[in-house]
Amino acid sequence: MWYMIYSQDVDNSLPLRKQARPAHIERLQQLKEQGRLFAAGPLPAIDAEDPGEAGFTGSLVIAEFASLEEAQAWANADPYVAAGVYANSTVKPFKKVLP
């Protein structure tokens, strides 16, 4: 089943994001290679493709896992969690309807 992982950043997270980004992207790439990644990306702090120093307010990942528990465990093990980027994460089942 698909699961949505919505994570909110701590204030001024950009330096922490930059440091942990390679490991974070590597995990997402693994999901992609396994055909389990629907979408992933950061949430810019301002209305711009590249927010620059304004940074990001969080991230959204939609990926396939065997269970809610597995999705939660994957979210908890994110390098951004270990680096202190995320203040919290919400994991919920996601049902794709369109397109």
Side-chain angles (χ1 to χ4, degrees), residues 3-97:
Y3 292 89
M4 177 237 27
I5 303 168
Y6 168 68
S7 302
Q8 292 182 294
D9 283 19
V10 299
D11 291 338
N12 304 310
S13 63
L14 191 58
L16 298 171
R17 273 182 168 269
K18 288 179 178 178
Q19 183 178 18
R21 188 172 191 274
H24 172 78
I25 295 296
E26 182 179 326
R27 292 179 82 233
L28 291 169
Q29 187 64 35
Q30 290 171 359
L31 287 178
K32 180 182 173 189
E33 290 169 3
Q34 295 167 2
R36 297 172 47 206
L37 184 62
F38 178 76
L43 308 172
I46 60 173
D47 190 12
E49 183 74 22
D50 180 0
E53 291 303 309
F56 302 92
T57 61
S59 299
L60 175 66
V61 174
I62 301 173
E64 188 174 29
F65 295 95
S67 67
L68 179 60
E69 293 77 18
E70 184 181 309
Q72 185 68 62
W74 189 90
N76 291 345
D78 193 304
Y80 279 177
V81 172
V85 173
Y86 293 153
N88 59 66
S89 294
T90 300
V91 180
K92 293 186 176 189
F94 174 80
K95 182 176 178 179
K96 182 179 183 255
V97 175

